[in-house]
Amino acid sequence: MTQIAAVGPKPDAREARYEQPSRLTLIWRYLRRNKSLVLGLAIVLALTLFTVIGSLTIDTEKRAYPLAVKPKQPPSAEYPLGTDFFGRDLLAVMVRGIWQTAVIGLIAGAIGTGVGVILGFLSAYYGGAVDTLIRAITEVLLPIPAFLILVIIAGSIDRKSVTIYTMAIIVSLLAWMGPTRVMRAQVLSLKERLFVNVARLSGMSNLEIVFKEILPNMLPFILASFVSGVFAGIFASFGLSVLGLGPLREPLIGNTIWFAQQQAAFFNGWWWWPLWPSLALVLIFVSLTLINVGLDELANPRVRRTE
Amino acid sequence: MRLGYLVRRILFLIAVVWVAATIVFFIPRLSARNPIRERFAEIARSTGFAPKDLEQIIAAYEVKFGLNKPLLQQYVEYMGGVLRGDLGPSLTRFPKTVLELIFSALPWTIVLLMLTTLISFALGNLLGALAAWPRSPGFVKGLMAPLMMLQAVPAYLLGLLLIFFIAFRLKLLPMGGAYSQGITPSLTLEFILDAARHQILPAISLILASLGFWALGMRGMGITIQGEDYVNFAEHKGLHPRTIFTQYYVRNALLPQVTGLALAFGSVIVSGVLVEQLYGLPGLGGLLGDAILKNDYFVIYGITLFVILSIAILMFLVDLIYPLLDPRIRYESR
């Protein structure tokens, strides 16, 4: 025993230098490498702060709706972003619009991903007739450009009854096929892994395996699918809004752009009116893409070194 | 078993088109809106023409268009008409048929979308291939991040910003419309040049929005091909780098991108619809937007069917062309 101990490393000062860094330090180090994730989250944080501080300091309930302020004013000290043709304070419109747009995206992302996870699990885990049915439906629906169908649905609904929530539900109607396919493929590959077999041999029930073994391993994919879903939801609702099919009473970002277009804002020289919502949307889309790239890097470390 | 594969593929695409047509047929009918009544209300608002026997006129038109029959019978008759190539009349621009409306709008859409898709495909793939190519200059690699950002932004928004900066601020190009007012459409050089000038901004916004998709996909493919034995072999044989680039590297990396072309067509059409609407171009997008606001069933059906059918046909064509491009693939094993 003593001989072996003599050969081994001496437990002295070296031990202290190799101390495991704390969790926070590790996260910090990782974030420094994953720049797109950080940048994306930073933009989302900035937009969130904008809406939170904005809705605390401005009366958005009133100023974001018509006839609240002097119309057609360019940006000034009193109206930092200007006012529109209908007498809305564009700062209040942006505060409320970004919030509403985010709500639509979040609902659509949650519904699309949720349905996708459930159908993907059913399809992959049980196989057989269930799998054939779910696959056939998704395969047939996927090539149909969902947006065209959404346009028709939104166009058929009585325009006055559309709210941001109906909008969110319309948008999520055809948002589950992509997630279903991704989740199915993931579950198929995971359920053949060794640890799932071990769990099954050790007597775990199907439900236990799904929730304790497979689901935790899918979290990065579910998260990425959710972010894509939010992106797609905002994208689709924006498309509907600029066709004039949105909830017209609300200061949604897409609606604001549509109204500006309807009133020929550029021709009339009210350049600030469509400009702010466009910039806000660019920021939202870019930040979501950055987050998705960052999550992809987190989930597939192999992508990391391809730069 | 190539024939078997083809038959299965055709059946699949027919199923896609049929499901889409059925969904599209029933949705506008579930709504309580009546396009004919709305059209008369609009006429009454703009001209003051309000006949006393309005209800009878509306009923007569409904009989004329077959809207009074049971919905299921209408569905069967409409599908029968589609098979014979008859897409029905327009409800709100009555003497015109849907097919006439589509064909008068189609040239604008085809020119804009075909041109932008081809340019974006060629340019995007070239940039992507160069970004993954070790010998290419550093700035190409630097282009990837901005391209990725651009890809995230809808073409409509890019179009709006282009109108603001280039048409409104710098006054370099027209803000919208298909041709200048005062020019009558004809096949003269003057008209074509004028129309082309109006297409530049819509085209740029569509190209910028889709360039990143091709570039990033190509870059990903290029990176995996980099380590392949045949590329190493070609290098050790002492082939000229340009030959390796074009014959060994791009040729192989391009194959999956061709499949992507058919899939991308769907999203191209959607952004095309919105961009046409933004610039006020008389293409399918403008027609569809107008029909939806007026709930003109037959025009909505017609355009959607037309678009979905063209996507299905394109997917099928890509399936047919693919084995010619990639000799390794033959639809035999399955």
Side-chain angles (χ1 to χ4, degrees):
Chain A
M1 287 295 261
T2 45
Q3 277 170 331
I4 296 171
V7 181
K10 289 173 188 150
D12 54 14
R14 292 178 72 193
E15 197 80 357
R17 273 198 284 152
Y18 284 106
E19 195 188 337
Q20 175 78 6
S22 76
R23 220 184 154 79
L24 262 172
T25 328
L26 282 176
I27 293 176
W28 172 243
R29 276 188 199 162
Y30 177 73
L31 286 181
R32 272 179 54 179
R33 269 188 289 135
N34 198 339
K35 291 206 182 70
S36 40
L37 189 63
V38 174
L39 192 58
L41 288 175
I43 299 178
V44 169
L45 191 69
L47 288 171
T48 317
L49 282 178
F50 174 76
T51 51
V52 170
I53 296 176
S55 44
L56 288 178
T57 52
I58 307 169
D59 180 13
T60 56
E61 288 285 347
K62 187 164 167 289
R63 290 171 79 92
Y65 293 89
L67 304 177
V69 290
K70 217 165 137 190
K72 298 181 276 188
Q73 295 301 304
S76 63
E78 198 185 354
Y79 309 112
L81 303 185
T83 67
D84 73 2
F85 177 81
F86 302 104
R88 288 183 279 212
D89 181 0
L90 283 174
L91 182 62
V93 166
M94 293 315 298
V95 167
R96 210 171 165 78
I98 290 176
W99 168 248
Q100 291 182 335
T101 306
V103 167
I104 291 184
L106 291 173
I107 295 178
I111 295 182
T113 311
V115 174
V117 168
I118 295 171
L119 290 183
F121 264 103
L122 287 177
S123 185
Y125 203 81
Y126 293 102
V130 183
D131 186 31
T132 315
L133 184 71
I134 293 176
R135 259 180 67 198
I137 294 174
T138 44
E139 292 290 313
V140 169
L141 286 180
L142 264 178
I144 301 173
F147 184 72
L148 282 182
I149 310 284
L150 295 184
V151 164
I152 293 170
I153 298 175
S156 307
I157 291 176
D158 186 12
R159 208 57 41 78
K160 291 182 193 81
S161 63
V162 177
T163 65
I164 59 168
Y165 300 105
T166 33
M167 186 88 165
I169 290 167
I170 292 174
V171 167
S172 45
L173 280 179
L174 287 171
W176 50 269
M177 290 94 70
T180 302
R181 205 149 83 154
V182 174
M183 294 306 153
R184 179 176 172 277
Q186 280 302 322
V187 177
L188 274 185
S189 91
L190 277 176
K191 81 170 190 178
E192 301 305 327
R193 300 276 176 87
L194 213 52
F195 63 89
V196 176
N197 275 332
V198 170
R200 193 172 295 129
L201 288 176
S202 62
M204 269 183 157
S205 72
N206 269 340
L207 271 183
E208 265 182 311
I209 293 177
V210 165
F211 282 106
K212 286 192 183 155
E213 301 292 334
I214 295 184
L215 207 54
N217 279 296
M218 305 231 328
L219 276 181
F221 297 97
I222 295 176
L223 207 58
S225 159
F226 175 69
V227 175
S228 314
V230 174
F231 184 97
I234 295 179
F235 209 105
S237 73
F238 166 72
L240 293 179
S241 298
V242 295
L243 284 177
L245 298 173
L248 290 184
R249 269 180 293 184
E250 299 297 335
L252 208 63
I253 300 185
N255 287 348
T256 311
I257 293 177
W258 185 70
F259 278 124
Q261 279 297 112
Q262 287 292 303
Q263 301 300 327
F266 282 137
F267 281 99
N268 290 315
W270 310 319
W271 52 269
W272 56 90
W273 187 6
L275 193 64
W276 308 127
S278 310
L279 290 178
L281 265 185
V282 169
L283 280 182
I284 292 178
F285 284 130
V286 166
S287 63
L288 288 176
T289 307
L290 284 171
I291 290 178
N292 230 354
V293 172
L295 282 178
D296 193 36
E297 212 248 24
L298 188 70
N300 306 310
R302 251 179 292 176
V303 189
R304 273 177 209 170
R305 291 291 152 235
T306 50
E307 281 167 23
Chain B
M1 289 309 283
R2 177 139 184 206
L3 198 66
Y5 175 82
L6 279 186
V7 170
R8 213 155 350 111
R9 201 65 200 153
I10 292 173
L11 286 179
F12 169 71
L13 289 175
I14 290 177
V16 169
V17 173
W18 177 67
V19 167
T22 307
I23 297 176
V24 167
F25 182 88
F26 284 104
I27 294 169
R29 296 310 182 80
L30 301 177
S31 111
R33 297 178 58 188
N34 182 330
I36 299 168
R37 191 181 300 277
E38 282 178 21
R39 180 86 183 101
F40 273 107
E42 194 196 313
I43 292 173
R45 235 179 295 128
S46 57
T47 63
F49 168 75
K52 280 205 190 76
D53 45 357
L54 185 64
E55 289 307 313
Q56 278 143 320
I57 296 179
I58 290 175
Y61 268 109
E62 280 182 349
V63 172
K64 186 173 179 63
F65 295 131
L67 297 180
N68 56 335
K69 295 175 193 160
L71 197 53
L72 222 54
Q73 190 188 341
Q74 287 184 44
Y75 171 72
V76 174
E77 281 174 11
Y78 183 75
M79 289 297 161
V82 169
L83 290 181
R84 292 191 304 272
D86 172 17
L87 294 177
S90 161
L91 296 181
T92 51
R93 310 184 192 185
F94 165 55
K96 297 220 169 181
T97 67
V98 174
L99 222 49
E100 277 169 21
L101 287 175
I102 289 182
F103 280 123
S104 67
L106 199 57
W108 294 100
T109 301
I110 287 189
V111 170
L112 181 64
L113 293 191
M114 288 266 275
L115 223 59
T116 52
T117 309
L118 288 180
I119 294 176
S120 157
F121 184 78
L123 198 61
N125 281 318
L126 184 66
L127 286 176
L130 282 175
W133 184 243
R135 289 166 195 269
S136 54
F139 76 91
V140 185
K141 295 189 174 75
L143 272 179
M144 285 299 114
L147 281 181
M148 196 177 74
M149 298 299 105
L150 277 178
Q151 183 211 356
V153 182
Y156 185 96
L157 269 184
L158 291 176
L160 202 65
L161 294 172
L162 284 176
I163 292 181
F164 175 64
F165 287 110
I166 293 182
F168 175 70
R169 280 270 133 126
L170 301 175
K171 302 200 181 349
L172 291 179
L173 288 164
M175 289 206 227
Y179 40 85
S180 304
Q181 281 169 343
I183 291 189
T184 37
S186 57
L187 273 178
T188 57
L189 190 65
E190 191 200 358
F191 174 75
I192 292 175
L193 282 179
D194 183 64
R197 239 169 75 81
H198 283 78
Q199 298 286 327
I200 295 177
L201 283 187
I204 293 180
S205 41
L206 283 172
I207 292 173
L208 282 183
S210 55
L211 205 55
F213 175 76
W214 301 116
L216 292 176
M218 188 66 176
R219 178 173 157 274
M221 278 311 297
I223 285 168
T224 54
I225 283 181
Q226 214 86 143
E228 294 281 346
D229 286 344
Y230 58 81
V231 176
N232 286 336
F233 179 64
E235 255 166 43
H236 291 304
K237 237 174 19 174
L239 289 183
H240 194 279
R242 199 179 305 139
T243 318
I244 303 178
F245 184 76
T246 52
Q247 308 285 312
Y248 286 71
Y249 170 74
V250 170
R251 170 132 205 253
N252 282 290
L254 206 56
L255 289 170
Q257 297 293 89
V258 176
T259 337
L261 202 55
L263 294 176
F265 196 69
S267 69
V268 168
I269 284 196
V270 169
S271 29
V273 166
L274 295 176
V275 167
E276 279 181 356
Q277 184 87 0
L278 172 69
Y279 285 92
L281 301 180
L284 284 184
L287 194 60
L288 181 66
D290 187 57
I292 282 167
L293 290 180
K294 291 177 178 158
N295 213 17
D296 190 338
Y297 308 135
F298 290 125
V299 177
I300 301 176
Y301 298 162
I303 295 177
T304 348
L305 260 182
F306 189 83
V307 167
I308 291 166
L309 195 66
S310 14
I311 292 174
I313 291 175
L314 274 174
M315 283 171 72
F316 183 65
L317 283 181
V318 168
D319 271 358
L320 284 187
I321 294 172
Y322 204 65
L324 300 180
L325 294 178
D326 187 353
R328 285 169 302 184
I329 297 205
R330 281 198 195 89
Y331 301 123
E332 271 169 9
S333 49
R334 281 202 289 162

